[in-house]
Amino acid sequence: MTKKQPRPTREKPLTPPGFLATQDLKERGWTPGLIRKFLGEHDDTRPNGLKMGRRRLPPVKLYREERVLDAEREEAFLVGQARAADARARAERAREERAAKRAALLDAAAESYLPIIHPEPLRKGAVRKAREPYLPGLEDTLSRLMREIEKVTPREEAELRARLMERLHTALAAAYPWYPAPQEKKAASREAKPSDWREWEWD
């Protein structure tokens, strides 16, 4: 019986001594604009260790470290780097503000859903039967809210649906004393015993 030869391991390409890769420059506060202005054409390349599917990405550009250090001592570079840092900070603040406004919009949309429950004579534990009549209305509300909000991403849609469902669960728990409120259901999922599943019609 022949021994299986171990597969050769492919080492990640390393940047040779005396050079800095574009990622190294980025970590030092360089931007594409600063590289073009103060370094210009790259000095060498190395293979890229990353792939996109089966396609290997273009070679990594390398810059001689002494050239980089010389450029970083120039006053014009320091001014440009500071301006670039300020621009990044402003862009980050703008992104955070947009995200906060979007979150507030989704919150207000979810809070606008006020399901009205008409209790039926259901046996204790008939969770699914209690909930099912209200699901079409929930989906209609979700569709309307998505039209009003506009440009809703799949993640936002899933989040909004979960928020509406939680409000429906809360309303049903107020109408049926035995209906598990959202926080109770979370606790039950952590503490349930095997016998519990025979008594409740969980999803």
Side-chain angles (χ1 to χ4, degrees), residues 125-198:
V127 174
R128 192 174 304 157
K129 287 184 178 178
R131 183 184 62 238
E132 279 180 349
Y134 303 96
L135 295 181
L138 183 147
E139 291 297 326
D140 288 344
T141 299
L142 177 63
S143 298
R144 175 179 58 79
L145 292 173
M146 288 174 60
R147 287 194 301 271
E148 292 174 357
I149 295 172
E150 295 182 345
K151 297 182 180 178
V152 176
T153 66
R155 184 188 62 80
E156 289 174 336
E157 179 182 355
E159 180 184 340
L160 187 54
R161 177 179 279 106
R163 296 279 300 277
L164 298 183
M165 189 65 74
E166 185 173 347
R167 291 181 68 79
L168 176 59
H169 286 315
T170 301
L172 288 166
Y176 296 101
W178 45 263
Y179 194 98
Q183 60 272 22
E184 293 172 359
K185 189 171 181 180
K186 289 174 186 174
S189 66
R190 291 192 299 267
E191 303 169 5
K193 301 185 294 293
S195 59
D196 294 338
W197 305 103
R198 291 195 294 271

Side-chain angles (χ1 to χ4, degrees), residues 76-117:
F77 170 80
L78 296 174
V79 171
Q81 189 181 45
R83 287 174 178 167
D86 287 343
R88 283 196 299 271
R90 288 196 301 272
E92 182 59 29
R93 285 196 298 271
R95 279 194 295 270
E96 290 174 357
E97 288 173 6
R98 288 195 299 270
K101 288 179 181 178
R102 191 70 175 177
L105 186 61
L106 291 171
D107 285 343
E111 295 293 327
S112 71
Y113 177 52
L114 302 171
I116 299 173
I117 307 301

Side-chain angles (χ1 to χ4, degrees), residues 20-133:
L20 293 172
T22 46
Q23 180 60 33
D24 299 322
L25 296 181
K26 181 180 178 182
E27 291 170 0
R28 296 168 72 98
W30 287 76
T31 65
L34 291 174
I35 292 173
R36 286 192 300 271
K37 183 174 180 180
F38 291 95
L39 295 178
E41 191 66 24
H42 57 278
D43 300 301
D44 205 345
T45 62
R46 68 161 170 79
N48 197 322
L50 302 177
K51 287 185 178 181
M52 185 175 290
R54 294 185 178 181
R55 183 169 63 86
R56 188 172 291 280
L57 295 176
V60 174
K61 294 177 181 179
L62 301 177
Y63 300 84
R64 284 191 295 110
E65 189 173 8
E66 61 182 279
R67 282 215 301 135
V68 174
L69 296 176
D70 287 342
E72 288 179 345
R73 295 188 190 101
E74 293 183 29
E75 185 178 350
F77 170 80
L78 296 174
V79 171
Q81 189 181 45
R83 287 174 178 167
D86 287 343
R88 283 196 299 271
R90 288 196 301 272
E92 182 59 29
R93 285 196 298 271
R95 279 194 295 270
E96 290 174 357
E97 288 173 6
R98 288 195 299 270
K101 288 179 181 178
R102 191 70 175 177
L105 186 61
L106 291 171
D107 285 343
E111 295 293 327
S112 71
Y113 177 52
L114 302 171
I116 299 173
I117 307 301
H118 303 285
E120 299 288 339
L122 300 174
R123 68 174 179 83
K124 181 181 178 181
V127 174
R128 192 174 304 157
K129 287 184 178 178
R131 183 184 62 238
E132 279 180 349

